Amino acid sequence: MSTQRVDKSWQQKGLKEYSTEALLGTLGHYGIAVGEDDFRKLAESAFPLGIAQQWRPKWKGTGPFKDFMVAAAVELWSRWLPDRVAPMEMADTLANLMQQLSFLLGGRQDAAVDAAFEKMNAVRAKMPLDEKGAPQERFMREALAPFTEKQAEIFDSLAEALASSGQVAHAEAFADLEEFLLPDRRGISKAIVRAAKGELQPATEDMVKLTEDTERSPIARLLAVDGLIHIKAHGQAAAAARTLLAAAEQGGDLHLALDLVPRLEHVYKAQNDRESLMELMGIAERLEAAHDKIHPGHRRHRHG
């Protein structure tokens, strides 16, 4: 085991300037004896945070070294597997793109948007994909883990905000990226951009088709209903939600059916449709009773 060590100032300086021997020596000192071959073996089925999780039971680091194993796993990945994009690299690249686009929306002339998109596209091209061509779920889970709720809100609203401000090309590019990273949003983000550009009717038609597409997952169809609600296409949203709710109840997917209840409630209140609201209350009670029968003791939030 290497006798070289990382000092306590690593938290301020990062790990770039330390030798690999120092990283390994520090890992070994606190309970993790690992070499390049061992690390590559772990990397066959895990990404850096997952590797660190496997090390955690043996980790003895405290104080400044409590979380060293996580940073070390990320740094060793970049040194030993430079051709494989790490989730943290994707997260940092995406965060930078979002920041530059936010600068642009804020009127900053020096926003480096083109360079940020170029870097994001380079990372995107190297991301591990599943059999459907979508980013691996495990990769995305680790990549998005550091994102705050505020960052998630910015991510969700950025394409629409760009389109509303006239930055259409950037809006469409970001919507394309959003749908790649989160496939359940396929078609929805681009439709919202269309609506923000003033193409409300075709955008509405696009999202209605998405709610009707039985090839999509239930959550993807539910998100399309949310999209219709977002652009205030309340009539179409209500019709789509009712159709989905009936199919979900008939198919025994009570959780999906119950998830549709508050959406219909929102729409009916927006339409001031008291009759439909009263009918919905009865449907909700029926669904809750069926759910409670199957899952006794598992109480869901009641809507009314």
Side-chain angles (χ1 to χ4, degrees), residues 3 12 55 60 152 174 176 179 219 240 294:
T3 57
Q12 288 74 45
W55 288 344
K60 299 181 177 67
F174 194 82
D176 181 74
E179 292 182 8
I219 184 63
I294 297 171

Tab-separated table of all heavy atoms in Angstrom, residues 3 12 55 60 152 174 176 179 219 240 294:
chain	number	residue	atom	x	y	z
A	3	THR	N	2.450	4.792	0.726
A	3	THR	CA	2.579	5.572	1.964
A	3	THR	C	2.226	7.036	1.734
A	3	THR	O	2.157	7.813	2.683
A	3	THR	CB	4.017	5.478	2.503
A	3	THR	OG1	4.921	5.929	1.484
A	3	THR	CG2	4.350	4.051	2.893
A	12	GLN	N	-10.818	21.837	0.240
A	12	GLN	CA	-10.770	23.163	-0.377
A	12	GLN	C	-10.137	23.112	-1.769
A	12	GLN	O	-10.584	23.794	-2.691
A	12	GLN	CB	-9.960	24.137	0.499
A	12	GLN	CG	-10.654	24.573	1.779
A	12	GLN	CD	-10.685	23.472	2.834
A	12	GLN	OE1	-9.684	22.798	3.068
A	12	GLN	NE2	-11.839	23.278	3.457
A	55	TRP	N	-17.956	0.654	-0.897
A	55	TRP	CA	-16.832	0.819	0.027
A	55	TRP	C	-17.286	1.215	1.436
A	55	TRP	O	-16.568	0.991	2.412
A	55	TRP	CB	-15.892	1.913	-0.491
A	55	TRP	CG	-15.086	1.535	-1.696
A	55	TRP	CD1	-14.874	0.283	-2.185
A	55	TRP	CD2	-14.371	2.427	-2.558
A	55	TRP	NE1	-14.070	0.334	-3.301
A	55	TRP	CE2	-13.744	1.639	-3.555
A	55	TRP	CE3	-14.198	3.812	-2.591
A	55	TRP	CZ2	-12.963	2.198	-4.563
A	55	TRP	CZ3	-13.424	4.376	-3.596
A	55	TRP	CH2	-12.808	3.571	-4.576
A	60	LYS	N	-13.405	3.933	7.296
A	60	LYS	CA	-13.133	4.379	8.662
A	60	LYS	C	-12.840	5.878	8.743
A	60	LYS	O	-12.508	6.391	9.812
A	60	LYS	CB	-11.938	3.607	9.237
A	60	LYS	CG	-12.154	2.095	9.322
A	60	LYS	CD	-10.935	1.409	9.915
A	60	LYS	CE	-11.149	-0.084	10.083
A	60	LYS	NZ	-11.268	-0.787	8.786
A	152	ALA	N	-33.900	21.681	-10.188
A	152	ALA	CA	-34.902	20.878	-10.895
A	152	ALA	C	-35.997	21.771	-11.468
A	152	ALA	O	-36.468	21.556	-12.596
A	152	ALA	CB	-35.500	19.840	-9.953
A	174	PHE	N	-32.788	22.723	-26.085
A	174	PHE	CA	-32.864	22.279	-24.692
A	174	PHE	C	-34.021	21.301	-24.504
A	174	PHE	O	-33.901	20.330	-23.741
A	174	PHE	CB	-33.013	23.463	-23.734
A	174	PHE	CG	-32.752	23.086	-22.306
A	174	PHE	CD1	-31.454	23.009	-21.822
A	174	PHE	CD2	-33.793	22.762	-21.443
A	174	PHE	CE1	-31.195	22.623	-20.509
A	174	PHE	CE2	-33.548	22.382	-20.130
A	174	PHE	CZ	-32.249	22.311	-19.665
A	176	ASP	N	-35.069	19.206	-26.695
A	176	ASP	CA	-34.576	17.936	-27.239
A	176	ASP	C	-33.702	17.217	-26.211
A	176	ASP	O	-33.816	15.998	-26.022
A	176	ASP	CB	-33.788	18.197	-28.523
A	176	ASP	CG	-33.263	16.908	-29.144
A	176	ASP	OD1	-34.068	16.160	-29.725
A	176	ASP	OD2	-32.045	16.642	-29.029
A	179	GLU	N	-35.885	15.833	-23.318
A	179	GLU	CA	-36.604	14.610	-23.681
A	179	GLU	C	-35.660	13.416	-23.812
A	179	GLU	O	-36.067	12.273	-23.589
A	179	GLU	CB	-37.380	14.831	-24.975
A	179	GLU	CG	-38.536	15.815	-24.802
A	179	GLU	CD	-39.346	16.005	-26.075
A	179	GLU	OE1	-39.102	15.255	-27.052
A	179	GLU	OE2	-40.218	16.890	-26.101
A	219	ILE	N	-47.046	6.659	-16.866
A	219	ILE	CA	-46.528	7.931	-16.347
A	219	ILE	C	-46.303	8.922	-17.479
A	219	ILE	O	-46.536	10.130	-17.328
A	219	ILE	CB	-45.226	7.719	-15.530
A	219	ILE	CG1	-44.742	9.041	-14.917
A	219	ILE	CG2	-44.121	7.125	-16.381
A	219	ILE	CD1	-45.685	9.658	-13.934
A	240	ALA	N	-58.875	13.817	-21.713
A	240	ALA	CA	-57.780	12.843	-21.683
A	240	ALA	C	-57.680	12.183	-20.314
A	240	ALA	O	-57.486	10.964	-20.207
A	240	ALA	CB	-56.466	13.533	-22.038
A	294	ILE	N	-57.365	-3.303	-0.947
A	294	ILE	CA	-56.178	-4.030	-1.409
A	294	ILE	C	-54.982	-3.751	-0.508
A	294	ILE	O	-54.164	-4.633	-0.236
A	294	ILE	CB	-55.848	-3.635	-2.866
A	294	ILE	CG1	-56.999	-4.042	-3.793
A	294	ILE	CG2	-54.547	-4.287	-3.331
A	294	ILE	CD1	-56.856	-3.513	-5.206
